[in-house]
């Protein structure tokens, strides 16, 4: 499995970082985890070339906040295949219905065309259960605590993707033994304490402890707060590594990572 980070910020782009999107290539499938402004990187020739030969793009959305979905509107410009399948959380996994949420957003006057009028076929698949099968790749999902709800995702034994959630140790099975855990870190411990907040997003120490307890092969910290400099993000990764006792890094956008399994 190959993982190409396209966008690693939360909320909005800053310091050259785009908002949340990750391209996963596995078993002859092309998948996007979230579709924030990072989708724009698929216009870059070295990344665009990675999509050649694929007919269908599967997009798995964690939820419908703009930093995770606005890049869907870039797909008519960057996706040359014939079909896009969008898997979005539906009740009880999250509160919104994917069809009504996405069809409300991607239509005039907010976007020039409805999704039905895009050059590729668009299928919206509501995710209501805990498991689905993407052409032989087992995918597990789980509802998370976030305003409006969000969905944690596990792709085989390779990748677990947990963002826009408070740290929830009852969700450990979704990440247990995974090769690469992508988990948001929105607050440092000092920020969480100063603001008195632990709901809806995650603080550093809790994420690192979760990664350790999940026995993940490595932790990639993502969904960076836009205010952070690259140096501050690297300091967060270093502190998390000291707690988790496993390799921790902040993935560089546009640089592919190989994931065994
Ligand atoms: Zn977000
Ligand atoms: Zn969110």
């Amino acid at each position: 499995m190959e993982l190409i980070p396209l966008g690693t910020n939360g909320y909005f782009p800053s310091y050259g970082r785009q908002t949340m999107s990750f391209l996963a290539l596995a078993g002859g499938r092309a998948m996007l985890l979230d579709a924030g402004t990072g989708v724009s990187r698929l216009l870059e020739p070295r990344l665009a070339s990675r999509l050649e030969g694929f007919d269908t793009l599967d997009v798995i959305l964690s939820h419908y906040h703009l930093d995770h979905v606005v890049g869907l509107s870039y797909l008519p410009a960057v996706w040359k295949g014939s079909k896009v399948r969008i898997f979005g959380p539906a009740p009880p996994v999250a509160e919104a219905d994917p069809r009504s949420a996405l069809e409300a957003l991607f239509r005039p006057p907010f976007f020039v065309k409805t999704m039905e009028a895009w050059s590729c076929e668009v299928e919206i698949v509501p995710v209501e259960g805990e498991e689905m099968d993407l052409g032989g790749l087992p995918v597990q999902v789980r509802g998370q605590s976030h305003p409006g709800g969000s969905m944690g995702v596990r792709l085989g034994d390779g990748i677990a993707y947990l963002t826009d959630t408070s740290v929830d140790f009852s969700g450990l099975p979704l990440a247990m033994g995974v090769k690469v855990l992508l988990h948001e870190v929105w607050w440092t411990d000092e920020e969480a304490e100063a603001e008195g907040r632990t709901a809806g997003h995650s603080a550093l120490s809790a994420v690192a402890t979760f990664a350790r307890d999940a026995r993940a092969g490595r932790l990639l910290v993502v969904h960076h707060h836009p205010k952070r400099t690259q140096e501050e993000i690297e300091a967060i990764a270093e502190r998390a590594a000291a707690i988790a006792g496993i390799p921790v890094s902040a993935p560089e956008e546009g640089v592919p990572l190989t994931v065994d399994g």
Side-chain angles (χ1 to χ4, degrees):
M1 192 182 295
E2 199 168 24
L3 178 70
I4 307 177
L6 303 175
T8 58
N9 254 25
Y11 197 4
F12 57 83
S14 66
Y15 293 101
R17 303 186 302 264
Q18 300 291 334
T19 73
M20 295 292 276
S21 189
F22 298 83
L23 176 64
L25 303 170
R29 303 215 142 264
M31 293 163 280
L32 282 181
L33 290 165
D34 277 333
T37 67
V39 173
S40 62
R41 293 195 184 279
L42 295 176
L43 207 58
E44 298 170 16
R46 75 200 160 89
L47 296 180
S49 66
R50 308 304 299 271
L51 291 177
E52 280 168 15
F54 290 103
D55 187 55
T56 300
L57 178 66
D58 288 329
V59 184
I60 304 175
L61 298 176
S62 63
H63 64 312
Y64 306 101
H65 286 164
L66 287 175
D67 51 330
H68 301 257
V69 302
V70 71
L72 291 173
S73 65
Y74 315 160
L75 288 176
V78 302
W79 173 245
K80 307 298 178 206
S82 70
K83 186 165 180 178
V84 172
R85 291 195 300 180
I86 303 170
F87 298 82
V93 182
E95 287 168 26
D97 169 73
R99 287 197 188 94
S100 47
L102 298 174
E103 285 170 5
L105 193 57
F106 301 110
R107 60 176 297 167
F110 307 111
F111 191 59
V112 67
K113 286 180 196 170
T114 64
M115 296 177 110
E116 283 163 13
W118 289 9
S119 51
C120 56
E121 182 193 343
V122 180
E123 182 187 357
I124 298 174
V125 185
V127 179
E128 297 156 347
E130 295 184 340
E131 285 182 16
M132 52 188 189
D133 185 271
L134 286 190
L137 178 72
V139 179
Q140 291 168 272
V141 306
R142 182 174 183 276
Q144 304 179 129
S145 171
H146 189 63
S150 68
M151 176 169 92
V153 181
R154 179 182 177 124
L155 302 178
D157 285 328
I159 293 170
Y161 178 69
L162 279 63
T163 191
D164 293 66
T165 179
S166 47
V167 175
D168 179 1
F169 286 87
S170 67
L172 271 173
L174 193 72
M176 192 55 74
V178 79
K179 300 288 192 309
V180 174
L181 170 62
L182 294 128
H183 201 299
E184 72 146 69
V185 175
W186 188 242
W187 296 302
T188 63
D189 295 341
E190 294 76 15
E191 287 165 352
E193 198 173 326
E195 295 174 34
R197 297 172 68 183
T198 52
H201 280 296
S202 301
L204 194 161
S205 288
V207 173
T209 306
F210 180 94
R212 181 198 66 198
D213 290 0
R215 295 187 218 116
R218 62 193 287 201
L219 169 65
L220 301 181
V221 293
V222 295
H223 201 269
H224 308 304
H225 196 295
K227 71 182 177 186
R228 302 211 196 284
T229 64
Q230 205 54 36
E231 291 71 32
E232 288 169 336
I233 289 170
E234 278 158 26
I236 282 173
E238 236 172 78
R239 284 179 65 183
I243 298 165
I246 59 171
V248 181
S249 57
E252 192 177 339
E253 294 180 14
V255 178
L257 302 158
T258 303
V259 181
D260 305 324

